[in-house]
């Protein structure tokens, strides 16, 4: 069984995925019967390539690593731009990982919509389309009978959305609570454990590449809000946008506040939550003092955590400890496998038909 | 879409499942399109009932609560015994929850095998058949193209097996480590927090119904070993039996040991582990001193925890906090839903065929 896939976006995540598809090729074939052929790659600054016979991933990875265009691998007439790439690409599934637009999710939202409309599966690690267009994108995917999965948008490769879909059906989630932004958690941990000021800890985070040069999205709580909206909309049936979140970041957090909390046996964490209040789901991101007895307090550095409180399981907790660079790409691989297994179908109709005949 | 199901076993778990099927009937119909009809109930001491038109669950639950037989609900000629019940029962899926036999898994293993062979799906909360017959039972289920799911056998309703199946495909699990026995964890927590001796803490656990009158299976580590074997065999491809586990229980644990650990900033926990060593998987259950910084140390009372260490995600942790009486039954309901969704099929063949045609 051969699958033709394309990579839309070839930054850190797209390239890690290419490496992973290469490294796991034998396992995918032997364990799942899946042979994956990459028939197209669209990059932001290194051009576009389409080859129906399969693009050599090693050559493409090497080219980008050396700052060279990948267009030499292209077969056929020149690809002008991303829209042209999408129109020409002979893939049955597209892995989308272009940069997140935190304002409206564009243009990825439109690209993903167009692909789904044409009956092409989409796996994305991009939070923008999901935070701004989840309901529309799922509706078009369902109409086209294709998959639209995005496990990597929250807590990288940890199956936090998969658990909702596969592990908590027919349960009502009353509250979701967690720590989803690793930059702010890293800063708070460094302040608390090494008595750094906020500015010092931020500078450290920037030095090792955990924080961006412009850290606004992280430290003002936007990234955390976007992820909270994704969980609320997908798992709790809400229809929120990032601006609907009651949002407070950690910019200018005083070391004295962190120390006061520690003296009281507590830790300050940027807590994300989505909670049912009557018919509504209310979302909030804010620094909170958490007692050490709460598992959220024990989360250090770039580790992340989510708690699901449901009508049946009182509290289920998932922790992703020290994610590496491969984990986001792994979430995308899992999504592809689960689409191949038909996990995007609500109830397996063929199966039920067979049951009726019994 | 109507499903005819039967309950084999009507103890605490079977009755909680009957309550849950009743409580969630509207959600199952509205959200998943599933209408469930219970067409048979087989009890250990209250008789057997089969009714193709549907057994009144409320009446059956009330009868058992009053210590009465349920045979008044039966339609047709008298059911002699369990084998007779199984032969006559017109179900497409059987929920099995008869008592666990920790020596060889019988007779449940044979009942489950027979049902699967006849093309009837089996959902079980019974650890015996899985610990002693997982490979044989999965093989017959696959040959009959039916589901054999058992999420509730480890950590109740927490999706610890589902995460392996749905969230970690194409990853290699190197080690699984956790706390799976709530009785021993409750005893250790009481000893540590209230300076009770082992005998005092055990007596408390027995008083509130957490420990059995004969607590051997829990305190000597058999229950923990059985669960460890299930995870090793299902998620790591091992072929172990409970006797293969290097097993040490907590019987006779001295309060002074617990106190010494606490003084050193550690806690004693009954740690279960399964680890790859070359081509082998080695399983172990033993009390260990765990530093407070390890999330396993923070697990108190009846809460349970599992850590998966894989080649891709360094460490994924799942905690089920304070499970209630309904959570085991919920795991069985989830299994049924996932069989209805075709999750027992490796790759959705129809779907892939459609992909090829594109």
């Amino acid at each position: 069984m051969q699958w033709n896939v394309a990579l839309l976006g070839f930054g850190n995540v797209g390239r890690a995925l290419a490496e992973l598809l290469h490294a796991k090729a034998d396992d995918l074939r032997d364990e799942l019967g899946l042979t994956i052929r990459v028939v197209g790659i669209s990059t932001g600054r290194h051009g576009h390539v389409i080859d129906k016979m399969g693009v050599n991933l090693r050559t493409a990875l090497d080219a980008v690593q050396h700052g060279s265009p990948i267009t030499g691998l292209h077969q056929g007439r020149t690809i002008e731009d991303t829209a042209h790439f999408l129109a020409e690409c002979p893939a049955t599934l597209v892995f989308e990982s272009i940069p997140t637009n935190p304002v409206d999710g564009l243009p990825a939202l439109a690209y993903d919509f167009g692909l789904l409309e044409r009956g092409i599966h989409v796996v994305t690690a991009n939070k923008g389309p999901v935070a701004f267009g989840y309901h529309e994108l799922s509706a078009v995917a369902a109409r086209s009978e294709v998959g639209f999965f995005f496990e990597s948008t929250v807590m990288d490769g940890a199956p936090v959305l998969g658990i909702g879909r596969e592990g908590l059906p027919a349960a009502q989630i009353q509250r979701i609570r967690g720590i989803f932004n690793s930059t702010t958690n890293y800063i708070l941990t460094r302040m608390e454990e090494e008595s750094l000021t906020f500015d010092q800890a931020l500078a450290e985070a920037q030095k090792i590449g955990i924080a961006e040069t412009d850290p606004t999205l992280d430290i003002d709580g936007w990234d955390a809000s976007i992820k909270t909206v994704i969980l609320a909309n997908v798992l709790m049936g809400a229809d929120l946008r990032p601006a609907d979140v009651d949002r407070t970041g950690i910019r200018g957090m005083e070391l004295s506040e962190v120390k006061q909390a520690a003296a009281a046996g507590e830790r300050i964490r940027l807590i994300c939550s989505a909670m049912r209040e009557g018919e509504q789901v209310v979302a909030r991101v804010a620094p909170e003092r958490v007692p050490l007895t709460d598992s959220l307090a024990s989360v250090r550095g770039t580790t992340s955590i989510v708690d699901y409180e449901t009508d049946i399981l009182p509290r289920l907790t998932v922790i992703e400890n020290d994610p590496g660079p491969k984990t986001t790409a792994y979430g995308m691989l899992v999504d592809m496998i689960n689409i191949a297994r038909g996990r995007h179908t609500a109830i397996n109709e063929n199966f039920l038909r067979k049951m009726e005949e019994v």
Side-chain angles (χ1 to χ4, degrees), chain A:
Chain A
M1 180 65 45
Q2 182 177 289
W3 267 43
N4 290 340
V5 305
L7 307 183
L8 172 57
F10 205 54
N12 289 334
V13 172
R15 295 200 303 277
L17 178 63
E19 298 277 8
L20 195 60
L21 287 171
H22 189 70
K24 288 287 184 183
D26 291 352
D27 289 349
L28 290 171
R29 188 194 57 225
D30 299 343
E31 290 169 27
L32 297 159
L34 287 173
T35 307
I36 307 302
R37 181 189 276 175
V38 176
V39 295
I41 302 176
S42 170
T43 78
R45 286 174 295 140
H46 302 275
H48 312 272
V49 46
I50 289 176
D51 184 348
K52 272 190 189 177
M53 302 309 291
V55 179
N56 187 314
L57 289 179
R58 195 72 269 147
T59 313
L61 286 163
D62 289 346
V64 170
Q65 203 183 341
H66 292 94
S68 311
I70 58 171
T71 40
L73 295 168
H74 181 64
Q75 300 293 322
R77 67 194 176 102
T78 303
I79 302 292
E80 311 283 344
D81 53 23
T82 306
H84 187 191
F85 173 85
L86 293 171
E88 297 287 328
C89 187
T92 49
L93 182 146
V94 169
F95 290 107
E96 186 255 304
S97 65
I98 67 177
T100 294
N101 175 342
V103 177
D104 53 21
L106 293 171
L109 200 163
Y111 294 158
D112 293 351
F113 193 96
L115 290 165
L116 294 168
E117 202 168 36
R118 284 159 53 201
I120 296 169
H121 305 279
V122 173
V123 167
T124 183
N126 185 345
K127 296 176 282 290
V130 190
F132 291 95
Y134 166 65
H135 293 292
E136 291 78 3
L137 291 162
S138 327
V140 70
R143 203 160 42 238
S144 299
E145 296 181 25
V146 293
F148 172 59
F149 275 3
F150 41 84
E151 186 60 85
S152 297
T153 55
V154 185
M155 284 175 63
D156 312 300
V160 300
L161 294 160
I163 284 172
R165 188 180 70 235
E166 305 295 333
L168 298 172
Q172 187 174 57
I173 297 178
Q174 313 288 11
R175 184 165 78 148
I176 291 176
R177 197 159 160 265
I179 298 172
F180 305 143
N181 180 266
S182 55
T183 305
T184 49
N185 206 55
Y186 178 85
I187 290 171
L188 291 170
T189 307
R190 293 292 299 261
M191 290 177 73
E192 162 189 298
E193 295 183 359
E194 296 165 55
S195 298
L196 301 185
T197 64
F198 174 79
D199 289 334
Q200 287 170 329
L202 172 59
E204 290 283 320
Q206 285 170 323
K207 206 167 75 185
I208 62 169
I210 286 181
E212 308 279 333
T213 316
D214 176 1
T216 307
L217 287 179
D218 289 322
I219 67 177
D220 288 341
W222 281 112
D223 174 74
S225 295
I226 288 171
K227 291 169 176 167
T228 306
V229 161
I230 292 173
L231 292 179
N233 290 0
V234 176
L235 299 181
M236 300 175 75
D239 191 15
L240 301 175
R241 295 295 171 278
D244 298 329
V245 177
D246 177 5
R247 177 186 48 80
T248 309
I250 66 160
R251 188 188 289 272
M253 172 71 65
E254 296 289 340
L255 179 57
S256 59
E257 293 177 71
V258 173
K259 289 287 165 193
Q260 269 167 29
E266 297 180 327
R267 284 181 184 154
I268 295 180
R269 291 289 180 262
L270 186 67
I271 302 296
C272 306
S273 66
M275 182 158 58
R276 274 184 212 285
E277 289 188 3
E279 295 292 295
Q280 303 262 307
V281 174
V282 176
R284 184 167 183 264
V285 169
E288 289 181 22
R289 283 169 66 151
V290 185
L292 287 181
T293 48
D294 189 326
S295 47
L296 276 72
S298 67
V299 170
R300 300 174 58 247
T302 59
T303 291
S304 53
I305 185 169
V306 62
D307 260 6
Y308 310 82
E309 295 172 23
T310 80
D311 58 344
I312 296 179
L313 299 181
R315 189 173 165 196
L316 184 71
T317 306
V318 178
I319 304 172
E320 184 181 41
N321 300 275
D322 307 316
K326 284 192 296 191
T327 57
T328 302
Y330 177 64
M332 299 183 84
L333 180 67
V334 170
D335 280 345
M336 181 201 74
I337 292 169
N338 281 334
I339 289 175
R341 298 197 285 196
R343 299 322 197 221
H344 56 293
T345 55
I347 289 279
N348 184 331
E349 296 293 345
N350 281 301
F351 178 70
L352 287 182
R353 202 166 308 124
K354 196 174 147 196
M355 294 304 307
E356 273 194 324
E357 288 160 11
V358 170

